[in-house]
């Protein structure tokens, strides 16, 4: 089946370098075919690598001193000339101070989608405070749902606030604004914050708090580790199996596979007072075999019992589903490929994505040095050339004051 270009081909994005959430939003846009130009600080101003950013697939970089009048002027001219999306990852006021706030840039480019991402709400009590994923989760209420009953709340690395509630939510908001622009012809300011993003993601468990399915307290409910048939268990070799046998046929297949059938658990499992005993039975059973042995027992069944895999296994074992693909499959206009496919590999673009893939196959990140690819992007977007419209000094790009009026 013939495929067309990726869905965001032709969309031009300016992404100011920042920590993980902003670059992740840019990565999602780039993987969908947008051209993303990251704005880095000049090399002389960089104490450490640019935000240690590994989320660089399909992006280019230009180093600009936005505190310099000519540096800020370059950004204004760049954005004014048909840039579609800008990603602002800074605290409120940083870009405004440089003369790059939404009022200025939207006046020059009314079709611009000006995406702003913060940790806390811009109008909330924590707006002027520093924070990280764990803090945004904490004040959103989501962190209070996570963890074992007898332990402190545990954040899931920095996945839930930074990436899901932050970067992915901003990506969604940008797409909505692009869709709205199709009707109105105008861009707008788009604001996302990780507190509201994480809270929105927690809609279902939050609503469960007022029902019998979620009212027993953290770590004591059906879906949060309190229920023995929705949990993980150590195997004989120190690895783990996951269990999610909620429905009766699935539970029957699980207990029969574990050798625990015929003991009445099929009827007693609904009583939380029986859960501690059932958990002990599961713990003892899983410890009798290795994870591989349990896989042989449950593969092909509906027991909802599957191995807990780590990324090293996924990367190195061809039998596992570890080939990295775009997050979604668009049959007519696939996103860009992540994994590199050999000439003899099944390369259906709709499944694996378009193009040659990237170095590292989605397992090893590649740093993007300030200035990498900038000249090609500026030439492609605007027809600009070095020495005419802009100059480069010490690695920093700036508007050429001697250039013809732009």
């Amino acid at each position: 089946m013939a495929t067309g270009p990726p869905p965001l081909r032709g969309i031009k994005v300016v992404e100011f370098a920042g920590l993980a959430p902003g670059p992740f939003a840019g990565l999602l846009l780039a993987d969908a075919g947008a051209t993303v130009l990251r704005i880095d600080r000049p090399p002389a101003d960089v104490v450490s690598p640019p935000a240690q950013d590994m989320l660089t697939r399909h992006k280019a970089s230009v180093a600009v001193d936005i505190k310099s009048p000519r540096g800020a002027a370059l950004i204004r001219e760049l954005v004014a000339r048909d840039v579609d999306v800008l990603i602002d990852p800074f605290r409120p006021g940083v870009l405004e101070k440089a003369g790059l706030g939404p009022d200025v840039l939207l006046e020059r480019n009314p079709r611009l989608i000006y995406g702003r991402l913060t940790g806390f709400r811009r109008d909330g009590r924590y707006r002027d405070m520093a924070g990280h994923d764990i803090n945004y989760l904490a004040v959103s209420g989501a962190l209070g749902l996570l963890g074992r009953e007898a332990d402190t709340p545990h954040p899931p690395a920095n996945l839930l606030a930074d990436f899901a509630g932050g970067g992915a939510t901003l990506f969604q908001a940008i797409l909505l604004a692009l869709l709205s622009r199709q009707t109105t012809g105008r861009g707008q300011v788009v604001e996302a914050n990780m507190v509201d993003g994480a809270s929105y993601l927690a809609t279902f468990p939050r609503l469960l708090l007022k029902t019998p399915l979620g009212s027993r307290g953290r770590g004591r409910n059906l879906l949060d580790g309190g229920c023995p048939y929705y949990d993980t268990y150590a195997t004989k070799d120190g690895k783990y199996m996951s269990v999610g046998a909620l429905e009766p046929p699935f539970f029957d297949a699980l207990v029969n596979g574990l050798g625990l059938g015929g003991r009445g658990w099929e009827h007693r499992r609904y009583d939380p007072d029986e859960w501690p005993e059932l958990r002990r039975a599961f713990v003892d059973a899983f410890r009798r075999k290795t994870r591989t042995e349990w896989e042989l027992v449950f593969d092909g069944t509906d027991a909802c019992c599957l191995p807990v895999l780590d990324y090293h296994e996924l990367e190195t074992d061809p039998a596992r589903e570890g080939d990295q693909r775009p997050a979604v499959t668009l049959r007519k206009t696939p996103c860009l490929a992540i994994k590199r496919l050999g000439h003899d590999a099944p390369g259906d673009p709709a499944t694996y994505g378009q193009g040659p893939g990237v170095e590292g196959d989605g397992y090893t990140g590649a740093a993007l040095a300030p200035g990498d690819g900038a000249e090609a992007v500026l030439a492609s977007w605007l027809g600009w050339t070095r020495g005419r419209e802009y100059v480069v000094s010490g690695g920093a790009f700036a508007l050429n004051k001697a250039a013809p009026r732009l």
Side-chain angles (χ1 to χ4, degrees):
M1 180 176 63
T3 58
L8 295 185
R9 172 73 60 83
I11 296 296
K12 302 170 184 174
V13 180
V14 167
E15 171 201 310
F16 282 89
L19 296 176
F24 186 58
L27 178 72
L28 291 167
L29 293 164
D31 281 347
T35 304
V36 178
L37 182 62
R38 188 179 74 187
I39 309 296
D40 282 302
R41 290 182 296 167
D45 293 346
V46 177
V47 178
S48 59
Q52 298 182 332
D53 182 10
M54 296 288 104
L55 305 172
T56 59
R57 283 196 303 263
H58 313 300
K59 297 181 184 180
S61 164
V62 60
V64 179
D65 180 4
I66 64 173
K67 297 178 182 178
S68 158
R70 289 169 62 196
L74 183 142
I75 300 296
R76 284 192 291 272
E77 287 294 335
L78 176 65
V79 170
R81 292 172 178 268
D82 211 26
V83 165
D84 297 285
V85 178
L86 180 144
I87 297 176
D88 169 12
F90 303 122
R91 287 200 193 187
V94 171
L95 287 183
E96 285 86 346
K97 186 180 295 185
L100 301 172
D103 291 344
V104 173
L105 297 187
L106 280 165
E107 182 179 2
R108 303 195 66 173
N109 179 1
R111 290 176 55 81
L112 178 67
I113 310 299
Y114 196 110
R116 301 200 287 190
L117 179 62
T118 57
F120 300 114
R121 289 177 172 178
R122 287 178 174 266
D123 61 348
R125 64 181 293 180
Y126 308 109
R127 62 184 179 274
D128 296 324
M129 298 171 63
H132 279 295
D133 182 285
I134 191 170
N135 308 120
Y136 311 138
L137 276 186
V139 302
S140 76
L143 184 57
L145 301 173
L146 306 175
R148 296 289 184 181
E149 173 188 2
D151 205 348
T152 59
H154 281 283
N158 65 331
L159 294 174
L160 187 49
D162 275 358
F163 290 100
T169 299
L170 180 63
F171 171 68
Q172 173 183 268
I174 288 169
L175 295 183
L176 291 173
L178 287 170
L179 184 62
S180 175
R181 194 178 71 175
Q182 291 285 91
T183 302
T184 67
R186 301 186 67 83
Q188 60 183 297
V189 175
V190 170
E191 294 183 352
N193 70 80
M194 287 166 248
V195 172
D196 287 336
S199 181
Y200 199 90
L201 288 165
T203 295
F204 180 66
R206 182 175 67 248
L207 296 178
L208 285 184
L209 292 174
K210 297 185 183 296
T211 76
L213 292 179
S215 62
R216 291 169 49 81
R218 185 184 71 251
R220 301 183 62 200
N221 302 287
L222 184 68
L223 301 177
D224 63 3
C227 174
Y229 44 93
Y230 199 89
D231 208 342
T232 58
Y233 292 92
T235 57
K236 184 178 180 179
D237 54 349
K239 297 182 179 180
Y240 302 92
M241 294 291 288
S242 69
V243 171
L246 296 176
E247 292 79 6
F250 305 159
F251 185 83
D252 292 348
L254 175 69
V255 294
N256 288 331
L258 291 172
L260 299 175
R263 304 185 187 184
W265 286 119
E266 296 83 351
H267 308 291
R268 296 158 56 198
R269 72 186 182 106
Y270 296 106
D271 183 356
D273 291 337
E274 298 283 350
W275 287 357
E277 183 181 350
L278 179 57
R279 184 182 300 280
R280 287 191 292 270
F282 282 1
V283 167
D284 291 342
F286 276 109
R287 283 178 176 165
R288 296 190 189 111
K289 296 180 185 291
T290 65
R291 194 189 72 182
T292 298
E293 290 172 327
W294 284 122
E295 286 189 75
L296 292 174
V297 170
F298 290 112
D299 271 357
T301 76
D302 284 340
C304 299
C305 185
L306 291 162
V308 177
L309 303 174
D310 61 44
Y311 277 114
H312 175 73
E313 293 176 274
L314 290 169
E315 183 180 7
T316 58
D317 184 351
R320 302 291 187 186
E321 297 179 350
D323 51 300
Q324 296 302 308
R325 306 177 184 180
V328 293
T329 299
L330 281 71
R331 290 290 170 190
K332 291 290 189 180
T333 57
C335 295
L336 299 179
I338 300 171
K339 177 180 174 59
R340 293 172 295 178
L341 297 172
H343 295 298
D344 57 348
D348 178 8
T351 300
Y352 294 97
Q354 304 190 63
V358 297
E359 183 179 354
D361 293 343
Y363 283 96
T364 303
L368 182 64
D372 280 358
E375 295 191 26
V377 170
L378 293 175
S380 172
W381 282 7
L382 308 168
W384 285 5
T385 59
R386 182 171 180 169
R388 188 176 66 187
E389 286 83 10
Y390 65 90
V391 295
V392 183
S393 177
F397 287 61
L399 203 64
N400 184 2
K401 63 181 179 181
R405 184 176 180 85
L406 295 175

